[in-house]
């Protein structure tokens, strides 16, 4: 999501943290409290965008895609967001809700493989 007003972005990030999806909640359960050996933040603002999850030490962004991400206009925005993150030297991992809900071990293994 692209946002240009920092105050509005802070409000939205807080709202997203309070109203997380089932997949976000499940992933947060496994990555919070430095369980993977590094700090991971959720709904973290980077420039004009909000990353679902962000690990500063690994320069890693984790995005979770629900069915809305299959829509062409959303795919375009996701692409622009990913290009921006890549321009900052960040790696972006994308997982679907289904992958997180049904195969969390694969998701965690992929995340671990990118961590320092």
């Amino acid at each position: 999501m692209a946002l240009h007003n920092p105050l509005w972005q802070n409000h939205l990030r807080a709202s997203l943290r309070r109203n997380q999806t089932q997949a976000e909640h499940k992933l947060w359960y496994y990555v919070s409290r430095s369980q993977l050996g590094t700090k991971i933040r959720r709904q973290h603002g980077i420039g004009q965008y909000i990353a679902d999850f962000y690990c500063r030490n690994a320069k890693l962004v984790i995005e979770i895609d629900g069915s809305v991400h299959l829509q062409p206009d959303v795919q375009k925005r996701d692409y622009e967001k990913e290009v921006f993150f890549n321009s900052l030297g960040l790696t972006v991992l994308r997982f679907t809700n289904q992958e997180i809900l049904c195969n969390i071990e694969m998701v965690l293994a992929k995340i671990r493989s990118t961590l320092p």
Side-chain angles (χ1 to χ4, degrees):
M1 178 168 290
L3 299 167
H4 302 286
N5 180 329
L7 293 176
W8 177 244
Q9 188 183 56
N10 289 340
H11 174 74
L12 180 59
R13 286 177 21 223
S15 175
L16 290 169
R17 283 192 297 272
R18 281 190 307 274
N19 300 300
Q20 51 188 331
T21 66
Q22 186 179 6
E24 289 170 335
H25 181 75
K26 184 170 186 172
L27 184 59
W28 183 241
Y29 174 82
Y30 286 96
V31 303
S32 63
R33 299 176 311 279
S34 301
Q35 292 181 75
L36 297 180
T38 189
K39 184 174 183 169
I40 296 178
R41 298 172 179 263
R42 62 186 170 128
Q43 305 304 335
H44 182 77
I46 303 172
Q48 62 185 355
Y49 296 101
I50 298 175
D52 291 334
F53 295 89
Y54 175 64
C55 177
R56 179 175 282 143
N57 292 341
K59 292 185 160 189
L60 174 66
V61 170
I62 302 167
E63 291 288 291
I64 302 176
D65 296 341
S67 59
V68 71
H69 292 267
L70 298 174
Q71 297 174 6
D73 59 321
V74 177
Q75 287 179 334
K76 181 179 184 274
R77 285 196 310 266
D78 285 346
Y79 174 77
E80 292 167 354
K81 183 178 181 180
E82 192 162 332
V83 166
F84 174 75
F85 289 157
N86 291 157
S87 76
L88 299 176
L90 303 174
T91 299
V92 178
L93 292 180
R94 287 191 169 279
F95 299 102
T96 65
N97 286 345
Q98 199 65 18
E99 287 174 315
I100 292 168
L101 296 173
C102 297
N103 198 353
I104 191 68
E105 289 305 322
M106 177 276 298
V107 170
L108 294 173
K110 200 165 195 179
I111 293 170
R112 280 187 196 103
S113 73
T114 64
L115 298 176

